[in-house]
Amino acid sequence: MDLGIKDQVVIVTGGSKGIGEGICRCLADEQAIPVIIGRSPEEGNRLVEEFKSVHIDARYIFAELANLEDCKSAVQQVATTYGRINALVNNAGVNDGVGLEKGSPESFLGSLKNNLHHYYYMAHYCLPWLKKFKGSIVNISSKTALTGQGGTSAYAAAKGAQLAMTREWAVELLKYNIRVNAVVPAEVMTPLYKKWLSGFDNPPKKLESITQKIPLGNRMTTKDEMAAMVVYLLSKQASHITGQFLFVDGGYVHLDRALAGADS
Ligand code: NAP
């Protein structure tokens, strides 16, 4: 299947690690140009060097995405370098455990800045380019938007708002033929996930209790499985898909979690 994204410039926020890294690798496999925007320069530059060593163009641009000026400047740098932006993947986020009981109005607002505001900033600054090149947007949300998790009010609120903005932007941008979709992960092993898991008394036991409840195969979703959906949504093969929430989660959110897994 020809995805038709060769040479397309695709911004991936938080593309140095985890799901974002998986997306960048999948883009590189399709000969698109991944542009990583985030605050992990070591990992970001290492990945870019790896791509360049096999003659894949790629860039890393530093940005603390909670900072509006960083977002603006990063988008400008991409546009100046390439003269185009074909797609945006809003991916960076942190499940930072700002709860209702254990939290504060200040930390709630801080977490929204880290998790939500930059999805809007990046889309806003990319929009002129996306209009020009009939681009598309994918927002990475989270199951917590629908299932809740407990103790993470701001993160869950941000993830829910990302879904709302996905539909809102899909409607607003119909006239420009810009498609906007969301991908909703549940359980994917990444640096963020490992950190979250390490907060429990017995991480291996906790992990086992989670994977047992993932209906399809009693296993975590892989980064590659996430990335395949994102890159498909960006491609011409998804040319009539907009305003959708795609759950790449082995049935975690929608199937009955009391089910035994398919392999058991
Ligand atoms: P990850 O392993 O921590 O990778 C996220 C990347 O984004 C990191 O490089 C991180 O940098 C960067 N980042 C985060 N906030 C940033 C900011 N304000 N400015 C600049 N860079 C920032 O996380 P992941 O698990 O791949 O998560 C990716 C997305 O999937 C997130 O939106 C997350 O909410 C969502 N998600 C993940 C899961 C899962 O199971 N992993 C489940 C549901 C949803 P630092 O390392 O410096 O923080």
Side-chain angles (χ1 to χ4, degrees), residues 86-124:
N86 299 97
L88 166 67
V89 182
N90 272 322
N91 162 75
V94 185
N95 189 350
D96 49 10
V98 177
L100 186 58
E101 195 174 9
K102 291 183 185 157
S104 66
E106 294 75 21
S107 54
F108 181 79
L109 288 175
S111 175
L112 288 186
K113 243 181 151 184
N114 274 325
N115 283 298
L116 176 62
H117 295 189
H118 58 83
Y119 275 49
Y120 179 91
Y121 301 160
M122 291 300 296
H124 177 76

Side-chain angles (χ1 to χ4, degrees), residues 17 19 39-40 64-65 91 155 159 188 190-193:
K17 293 182 195 168
I19 293 170
R39 63 184 177 199
S40 317
E64 168 44 72
L65 293 158
N91 162 75
Y155 179 75
K159 293 295 164 190
V188 189
T190 63
L192 172 68
Y193 198 97

